[in-house]
mmCIF file of all heavy atoms in Angstrom:
data_model
loop_
_atom_site.group_PDB
_atom_site.id
_atom_site.type_symbol
_atom_site.label_atom_id
_atom_site.label_comp_id
_atom_site.label_asym_id
_atom_site.label_seq_id
_atom_site.Cartn_x
_atom_site.Cartn_y
_atom_site.Cartn_z
ATOM 1 N N GLY A 447 57.221 10.651 38.698
ATOM 2 C CA GLY A 447 58.115 9.823 37.824
ATOM 3 C C GLY A 447 57.338 8.534 37.430
ATOM 4 O O GLY A 447 56.209 8.285 37.796
ATOM 5 N N TRP A 574 -33.555 13.208 8.006
ATOM 6 C CA TRP A 574 -34.173 11.942 7.317
ATOM 7 C C TRP A 574 -33.696 10.711 8.076
ATOM 8 O O TRP A 574 -32.591 10.589 8.412
ATOM 9 C CB TRP A 574 -33.600 11.907 5.880
ATOM 10 C CG TRP A 574 -34.251 12.899 4.997
ATOM 11 C CD1 TRP A 574 -33.742 14.087 4.595
ATOM 12 C CD2 TRP A 574 -35.479 12.713 4.242
ATOM 13 N NE1 TRP A 574 -34.584 14.683 3.696
ATOM 14 C CE2 TRP A 574 -35.678 13.874 3.443
ATOM 15 C CE3 TRP A 574 -36.469 11.673 4.164
ATOM 16 C CZ2 TRP A 574 -36.856 14.009 2.618
ATOM 17 C CZ3 TRP A 574 -37.527 11.872 3.371
ATOM 18 C CH2 TRP A 574 -37.741 13.000 2.626
ATOM 19 N N LYS A 608 -31.621 -16.287 -6.736
ATOM 20 C CA LYS A 608 -30.744 -17.237 -7.507
ATOM 21 C C LYS A 608 -30.194 -16.471 -8.775
ATOM 22 O O LYS A 608 -30.771 -15.588 -9.292
ATOM 23 C CB LYS A 608 -31.537 -18.438 -7.985
ATOM 24 C CG LYS A 608 -32.064 -19.266 -6.770
ATOM 25 C CD LYS A 608 -32.771 -20.532 -7.295
ATOM 26 C CE LYS A 608 -33.262 -21.359 -6.086
ATOM 27 N NZ LYS A 608 -34.021 -22.629 -6.564
ATOM 28 N N GLY A 622 -32.365 -5.524 -24.583
ATOM 29 C CA GLY A 622 -31.583 -4.266 -24.451
ATOM 30 C C GLY A 622 -30.932 -4.120 -23.172
ATOM 31 O O GLY A 622 -30.127 -3.097 -22.933
ATOM 32 N N ALA A 839 -27.108 12.605 -3.448
ATOM 33 C CA ALA A 839 -28.457 12.219 -3.075
ATOM 34 C C ALA A 839 -29.396 12.408 -4.266
ATOM 35 O O ALA A 839 -29.252 13.424 -5.022
ATOM 36 C CB ALA A 839 -28.874 13.096 -1.871
ATOM 37 N N ILE A 952 3.119 -22.727 -1.383
ATOM 38 C CA ILE A 952 4.259 -22.734 -0.464
ATOM 39 C C ILE A 952 5.416 -23.499 -1.060
ATOM 40 O O ILE A 952 6.541 -22.995 -0.982
ATOM 41 C CB ILE A 952 3.863 -23.449 0.881
ATOM 42 C CG1 ILE A 952 2.599 -22.736 1.524
ATOM 43 C CG2 ILE A 952 5.035 -23.453 1.871
ATOM 44 C CD1 ILE A 952 2.161 -23.444 2.771
ATOM 45 N N LEU A 1008 49.981 -15.807 -23.932
ATOM 46 C CA LEU A 1008 50.745 -17.071 -24.337
ATOM 47 C C LEU A 1008 50.353 -18.156 -23.414
ATOM 48 O O LEU A 1008 50.856 -19.358 -23.545
ATOM 49 C CB LEU A 1008 52.260 -16.790 -24.189
ATOM 50 C CG LEU A 1008 52.881 -15.908 -25.221
ATOM 51 C CD1 LEU A 1008 54.374 -15.781 -24.954
ATOM 52 C CD2 LEU A 1008 52.707 -16.594 -26.623
ATOM 53 N N LEU A 1043 61.349 -4.119 -17.834
ATOM 54 C CA LEU A 1043 60.082 -3.708 -17.236
ATOM 55 C C LEU A 1043 59.973 -4.212 -15.804
ATOM 56 O O LEU A 1043 59.445 -3.489 -14.973
ATOM 57 C CB LEU A 1043 58.941 -4.274 -18.081
ATOM 58 C CG LEU A 1043 58.780 -3.645 -19.522
ATOM 59 C CD1 LEU A 1043 57.777 -4.417 -20.311
ATOM 60 C CD2 LEU A 1043 58.433 -2.160 -19.372
ATOM 61 N N VAL A 1073 57.545 -6.377 -26.435
ATOM 62 C CA VAL A 1073 56.962 -7.552 -25.804
ATOM 63 C C VAL A 1073 55.725 -7.978 -26.554
ATOM 64 O O VAL A 1073 55.470 -9.142 -26.811
ATOM 65 C CB VAL A 1073 56.728 -7.277 -24.309
ATOM 66 C CG1 VAL A 1073 55.878 -8.429 -23.683
ATOM 67 C CG2 VAL A 1073 57.954 -7.052 -23.591
#
Side-chain angles (χ1 to χ4, degrees):
W574 285 95
K608 298 183 179 180
I952 304 178
L1008 288 176
L1043 294 173
V1073 172

